[in-house]
């Protein structure tokens, strides 16, 4: 880390930057964006399997805080708008695919993670 407001996290193949001053997403915003991105990935996969273009499909997501306040999540609403030409069966297949988003399944399962913090 340095004195700048930007925090860069390096993964095996990619780096992701966050900020603490609002100039970029913070980690909580990125978590919500990850859920939305996962929905989009599953929608695109479904479109490919159906042989239809994903162009014009719009996915909007909105988190709702739980009873414990803003750091709890009670509902995550995902709305999908389709362009003209996508029939009811295709829409249903895409919506069903989104329900299988891997990130969503981890959140729903309430994964028990043993977070450990130690000096290295």
């Amino acid at each position: 880390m340095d004195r700048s407001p930007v925090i860069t996290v390096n993964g095996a193949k990619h780096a992701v930057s966050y900020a603490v001053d609002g100039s970029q997403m913070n980690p909580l915003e990125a978590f919500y964006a990850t859920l939305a991105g996962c929905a989009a990935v599953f929608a695109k996969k479904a479109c490919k399997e159906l042989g239809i273009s994903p162009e014009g499909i719009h996915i909007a997501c909105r988190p709702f805080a739980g009873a414990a306040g803003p750091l709890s999540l009670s509902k995550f609403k995902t709305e999908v708008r389709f362009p003209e030409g996508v029939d009811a069966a295709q829409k249903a297949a895409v919506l069903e695919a989104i329900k299988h988003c891997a990130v969503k399944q981890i959140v729903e399962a309430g994964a028990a993670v043993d977070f450990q913090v130690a000096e290295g």
Side-chain angles (χ1 to χ4, degrees), residues 38-63:
C38 189
V41 166
F42 276 71
K44 278 192 164 198
K45 286 180 179 181
C47 288
K48 184 176 181 181
E49 289 176 12
L50 294 166
I52 63 172
S53 172
E55 192 169 333
I57 295 176
H58 178 80
I59 299 173
C61 298
R62 182 174 174 208

Side-chain angles (χ1 to χ4, degrees), residues 6 9 15 17 22 33 39 41 44 47 51 55 59 64 71 73 76 81 88 91 101-103 107 109 111 115-116 120:
V6 176
V9 178
S17 293
V41 166
K44 278 192 164 198
C47 288
E55 192 169 333
I59 299 173
F64 292 84
L71 295 181
L73 183 63
F76 193 80
R81 288 194 320 256
K91 289 177 184 179
C101 161
V103 177
V107 172
F115 283 99
Q116 300 178 357

Side-chain angles (χ1 to χ4, degrees), residues 2 5 11 13 16 24-25 30 36 46 50 54 58 65 70 75 77 85 87 90 102 104 106-108 110 113 119-120:
D2 59 27
K13 295 182 180 181
V16 178
Q24 295 184 47
M25 281 193 270
L50 294 166
H58 178 80
K75 179 170 62 170
K77 187 175 181 180
D87 68 36
Q90 293 167 328
K104 178 181 97 40
I106 290 170
V107 172
E108 285 179 331
V113 178
E119 184 176 350

